[in-house]
Structure formats: C-alpha cells, structure tokens
Amino acid sequence: MESQSPLMFLPLLLLLAFSQCWANRPLNVQNNFQNMMVRLATNKATLGRVQVLREGRVEVSFDFGASWGTICSTTWSMREGNVVCRQLGLGYASKAVQSTEHGDNRKQPWGMVGTLCRGNERKLSECTRESHYPNVCHGRNTNVTVVACMSHSADLEIGLADIERSARLEAVPMSMLTCAMEEHCVSADAYVIRQTRPHAKRMLLRFSVKASNVGTADVSPYANYKDWVWHQCHRHYHSMNVFATFDVYDLNYRKVAQGHKASFCLMDSECRPGIRRKYTCGNTTQGISMGCADVYTDVLDCQWVDVTTVPVNRRYILRVALNPEYKLGEMSFENNGAECILDYTGVHRTTRIFNCRRSPLWFKI
C-alpha cells in the first residue's frame, strides 16, 4: 500500500488547530452570550429515563457544553419559559417557576442571573438582562429556574371593538357598591369618604371586555379547583385572583386611575359556529375553550375604572391587559393588551373611548 502524503492531512490539521484555538478563546460576555447553549436537566430518577425531557431545571453553557450552570432571576415567568421551550423545539411553557424541585443552587450553581425576556425571542441569548444584579440571587436562595413545556397552548386575545362600543359613564352611590368595594374595585379615597358620606356617588367608566381563546388548547385556571374562592356577593366561585387590569394614564404614561377585578370566574360566554360551550362558573368546570370567548359585560361589578378624581376635559390613555401576571401559559403575550384614547369630560354624552389598538403586555427592564 502506498504511503500517503502529509499534505493530504493538512486541511484536517488546520481544522483541528482552529477548533482548539476557538475553544481556548478567553471567556467574555459577548462571545459566550451569543453562543449560549440551553438544556433541561433533572435530579428526578423517573424523569431521567425519559427520552425527551419536557420538564426540568434550565441550564446554560457558555463553553460549548464543557460546563453547565443554572439561572437565577428576579422574575422568571411564562415569558422566559416560552423562549426556553421554543429554543428547544418543545412548544410552549406550561410552568415557569424558581424552585428546588429539579435540583438546587448548591449542587447546580447559577451560571447566569437576571434574565428578562419579552417572550417572542427565538432563543434565550436574544433576551435582555436586568439592569442591576438581582437582589433575590443571594447566598440563602437555593432556587433555580424550572420550566415545563407542552406542544399545545391557549392564547388569549383581547377584543377591541367591545371596549369602544360599550364604553359609558355612570354615577353610582357607594351604598350600591357593597360587593365591589369588598373586592377593592373603587379608588382608595372612596373608603375614607364612605365613613361620613355612605351615599356619596362614584363616577365609573364602564366598558365590556372580551377575552377570546385563539390558541390550540383550552384556558385552564392556574389554581387547583379546591383553592377557588366562593364569593357570596356574586354567588359563584372565582378561580383567578387577577385576570385583567384596567388603568388610565395621562399622555406621558403617568397613571391617574386604576381599577382591576380582584378575581374572576372563567367560562365560555360565546363560541364560534360548530363549537360547543363546556365551561361555566361552576366549582370545578371553569375555563375558556378553544374557539370560545369569555365576555365580561359593562353591567358586571368591577367592570370599570373609578374616575371620580380624574381631572375632566382632558385626553387620556386607557390600557386594558389580560393575564397581566403571566399566571396562565399562552402561545404569545403580544395580543393580551389594548390601548385606547379616552376623551374624558365627566359627562356621559361627550366622554368617549376610541382608536383602540392591540398592544403587548408590558415588562420592566
């Protein structure tokens, strides 16, 4: 057999040398952050035998898999969870928490802190970072970030026309707002005024909100039904503490009034043709089916913003947000919000809401 020329191996030697040079590059934020690898891992023996792990602690590597570290962050929500699941090709997040369920910081030290995602990024390296070192990432905290992924997910979409069409002002005596005041659906000053003037009126900006499920799975309350709260005033169970928020801002986004429904029941109010309603405000059957919507009409308690103390004859911004605390897993949070122009005169006939536009949920950097 003829001996082979050393020149034949030159390309391979050059490739090996380049790879070794790349691996030995000094560590720096830019190089490592751009080449971040992500995986799920667990200490649970039962899950360790699963071929494709869909739940576990989130680990990152900045040295091409030679070493791995966990994550600590002030806020680890379904936003960040969605990005992890998307990067791994596992769909959408059904859980995103910080815990020791799949390991802890003692045995799996943090490799990154302060991750903050909008939720629509393709991979974790595209997310931003908190501007300061997270206060929660201290020596006594043993939690690490955990994610569970699923192939299908709900997706809430807010209705815009419903807000504009139903908007109206109403002056209501506090004596008729007993249930609403129990749920803190009026401004703080009302509770002081009620002590001496129990029949004083509150000016309420009422409007309907339609929450449609345009996703590929049903909306299910995050709390176990055994933890749902019975509301005597409303005569039904509330399965979510905060499902929607309603706020009024001036044109510089300084908040001038806020009102939120302290709790909600979830049900199928209306569905597309061919889809059967299956969820009610019962004690075990709440949710929003695929292709259905839950409509909270303007006649319901707390379906308003208390604008009693808001200066009149000015233009404002009304902002409505669904699932503002990211408690429910969704395909996207880009269609959960609405911003509308509010011309507030203090008079029903001339006060109006218009030009509502869909907007994503806010997140702080």
Side-chain angles (χ1 to χ4, degrees), residues 76-263:
W76 183 259
S77 70
M78 294 292 189
R79 285 181 179 272
E80 289 75 25
N82 269 359
V83 177
V84 170
C85 295
R86 182 178 299 119
Q87 181 170 352
L88 296 176
L90 299 176
Y92 313 95
S94 60
K95 179 170 70 174
V97 297
Q98 298 188 75
S99 71
T100 58
E101 181 183 359
H102 293 275
D104 59 53
N105 178 40
R106 298 289 183 265
K107 294 181 180 179
Q108 290 86 31
W110 298 322
M112 182 170 69
V113 298
T115 303
L116 189 64
C117 303
R118 177 169 173 168
N120 60 352
E121 295 88 348
R122 295 173 302 159
K123 50 188 179 180
L124 210 56
S125 61
E126 295 177 357
C127 296
T128 58
R129 306 287 291 277
E130 295 180 48
S131 57
H132 302 287
Y133 186 89
N135 292 330
V136 298
C137 302
H138 50 71
R140 298 184 304 278
N141 183 3
T142 60
N143 290 330
V144 297
T145 59
V146 170
V147 163
C149 303
M150 57 185 177
S151 55
H152 301 282
S153 180
D155 191 16
L156 292 169
E157 182 178 83
I158 193 167
L160 303 179
D162 303 84
I163 299 173
E164 295 182 7
R165 186 170 51 241
S166 60
R168 61 187 175 89
L169 275 182
E170 183 180 13
V172 183
M174 280 188 283
S175 55
M176 297 177 60
L177 297 175
T178 304
C179 283
M181 296 189 75
E182 283 184 13
E183 296 194 22
H184 304 284
C185 295
V186 294
S187 299
D189 68 292
Y191 298 90
V192 178
I193 295 172
R194 184 173 61 172
Q195 296 176 11
T196 55
R197 298 166 54 205
H199 299 290
K201 293 184 177 181
R202 305 301 295 181
M203 186 65 72
L204 306 178
L205 177 64
R206 288 182 172 272
F207 49 87
S208 300
V209 171
K210 181 178 180 179
S212 300
N213 181 7
V214 297
T216 56
D218 292 355
V219 172
S220 297
Y222 64 88
N224 185 292
Y225 73 89
K226 295 179 181 178
D227 297 324
W228 295 356
V229 179
W230 171 258
H231 279 251
Q232 186 65 29
C233 280
H234 298 151
R235 306 295 299 172
H236 59 234
Y237 284 91
H238 286 193
S239 58
M240 286 197 64
N241 289 330
V242 180
F243 182 70
T245 54
F246 318 136
D247 301 296
V248 175
Y249 298 85
D250 66 17
L251 299 184
N252 293 314
Y253 282 98
R254 291 185 293 256
K255 188 181 292 188
V256 297
Q258 87 176 32
H260 74 269
K261 285 200 77 168
S263 52

Side-chain angles (χ1 to χ4, degrees), residues 261-292:
K261 285 200 77 168
S263 52
F264 272 70
C265 78
L266 300 178
M267 62 180 291
D268 293 331
S269 301
E270 58 184 52
C271 298
R272 294 201 304 260
I275 298 178
R276 195 174 186 178
R277 290 189 289 180
K278 61 181 179 180
Y279 293 112
T280 67
C281 273
N283 62 335
T284 61
T285 59
Q286 294 191 20
I288 307 175
S289 303
M290 289 184 294
C292 297

Side-chain angles (χ1 to χ4, degrees), residues 294-311:
D294 196 351
V295 181
Y296 306 93
T297 62
D298 57 286
V299 300
L300 296 176
D301 258 359
C302 301
Q303 200 61 40
W304 63 61
V305 180
D306 184 350
V307 292
T308 306
T309 60
V310 175

